[in-house]
Each structure stands twice: as C-alpha cells, then as structure tokens.
Amino acid sequence: MAVIKSGATTDELTIDATSKAARVTEYLAGLARAAWADNHPTYSFSNASFTIPATPTDIITIDGSGSKTIAVVRAWISTLQTTAGVNSWFLAKRSTARTGGVQVAGTAVPHDSSDAAASATVGHWTTLFTGGGTLVGNVWGGRINSPAAATAGIGGFVGHQIDFVRLFGKPLMLRGTGESLAINFNGAALPTGMTCLGGFTWYEF
C-alpha cells in the first residue's frame, strides 16, 4: 500500500493496494460543509401566501434555539401584486427577541422523518412587532420582480433564492433564542395587493 504525505503528521493520502484507488474526503475550499455531509438534522419551512401588513419590516422570520445552534443555509421569497413591479427586499439579522405583534407559527418540516422536531421557531407576521428586535444589520439586499397577480404562463420560479454557502462561504448562524433572521421590507410603502411566499432551509446541531 502506497502512502502520500503532505508533511504534516496527520495528513496523508492512502492508496488501496488492490484497487489502486485513493481514499479521500471531499473538501470544499472556502465553503462550509453541506448539511447532509455532517448528517445534521435539516429542515425547511415555507409560509402560506398571505397579505402583508402596511409599511412592513420583518414579515417572515426564523428565530434561534435555546438548545441548538441554527445554521441557515437558504432563504427565498416570491411575491405577487396588483400591478407588476420591482421591490427592494432585505435579510435582517437581529440579536434580541421581538415583542408585540402577531406571528402566525409555521411548520418546520424535517428532511429526514427520523429527525427530531426542529428547535428553531419560524412563521410570518400579520401584525408587525412593536418592540425589541435589536438590529445587527442587513446581511443581504436585492431588488426582486413581483408580477401582477393575474399574470399566467410565466413558468419557473418567480422570486429569488439566497444560498448563504454559495454566496458567503458559510451558513448564517443563529445562537440562542434572541437571535433571528427576517425577510424584511424595510418599512417601505407596500404595493397594492401584494401577497407573499417565503421561507428558509436550515440545519441544527
């Protein structure tokens, strides 16, 4: 059996004596390992379409856990409105819990039915929060097309997806119940007739 070493005492590439195949572990330079590579429980959530409150801030949220670290790997948003337009959206990270408002709890769906129930809290807001929610900052912002509600035959996914690993090199981490990530409209005037779908994919460890 041949062994190729890098010079470090623990780094080596082993060649099988029979098959002549190298035994390697996948390495993604500059990227966090995929959730399934480390076998972490993985979950997704998407809200039901709803009418957004006027001049909205946080409208779809994922809140951290008191028992697990939450690694958000993807967020997405898709909207319709009476007259087609383009709107600015943000992903806002907060460091303290929100108070007030009305949140409709969402369902965190495990990717593997053998995984335990998610410990992160997800949902959408029909009445905006009124206090707390200290803003750390916006981790992403972009302009997203919003077709007219009556438009047909567009095809494909209408909206936008944010893949944290591909864009930024690692998931967005939420540590503790005070930390959260929100799909946020920054308090701008709401286009007439806008409805929204959105959600997150994350893993817990």
Side-chain angles (χ1 to χ4, degrees):
M1 180 177 290
V3 176
I4 300 173
K5 294 186 176 182
S6 68
T9 57
T10 57
D11 294 341
E12 60 183 39
L13 175 64
T14 303
I15 309 299
D16 186 90
T18 303
S19 68
K20 304 301 189 292
R23 298 171 184 169
V24 298
T25 300
E26 181 183 15
Y27 174 70
L28 303 177
L31 300 182
R33 286 176 59 81
W36 53 89
D38 287 331
N39 201 32
H40 295 309
T42 307
Y43 308 87
S44 286
F45 149 74
S46 181
N47 69 284
S49 182
F50 71 105
T51 300
I52 305 169
T55 59
T57 51
D58 296 359
I59 61 161
I60 303 172
T61 55
I62 178 169
D63 297 321
S65 163
S67 58
K68 301 283 187 179
T69 297
I70 308 303
V72 183
V73 294
R74 188 166 65 104
W76 65 90
I77 184 170
S78 177
T79 62
L80 297 175
Q81 57 195 56
T82 302
T83 301
V86 178
N87 303 297
S88 296
W89 287 92
F90 302 89
L91 290 178
K93 186 175 182 181
R94 299 188 184 276
S95 61
T96 62
R98 304 169 194 80
T99 59
V102 176
Q103 182 189 38
V104 178
T107 300
V109 180
H111 288 203
D112 185 334
S113 59
S114 69
D115 288 337
S119 63
T121 302
V122 290
H124 68 270
W125 294 76
T126 55
T127 302
L128 301 178
F129 75 98
T130 55
T134 303
L135 180 66
V136 177
N138 296 322
V139 298
W140 177 90
R143 295 182 175 90
I144 300 175
N145 284 315
S146 184
T151 302
I154 296 174
F157 176 73
V158 179
H160 195 76
Q161 302 185 56
I162 300 94
D163 185 321
F164 284 97
V165 175
R166 289 185 180 276
L167 285 176
F168 308 122
K170 67 180 296 182
L172 185 134
M173 315 301 283
L174 301 176
R175 304 181 188 276
T177 56
E179 293 196 351
S180 65
L181 181 67
I183 296 172
N184 179 288
F185 204 61
N186 203 37
L190 192 70
T192 301
M194 178 181 278
T195 59
C196 179
L197 287 170
F200 305 95
T201 295
W202 70 98
Y203 59 94
E204 303 187 358
F205 59 94

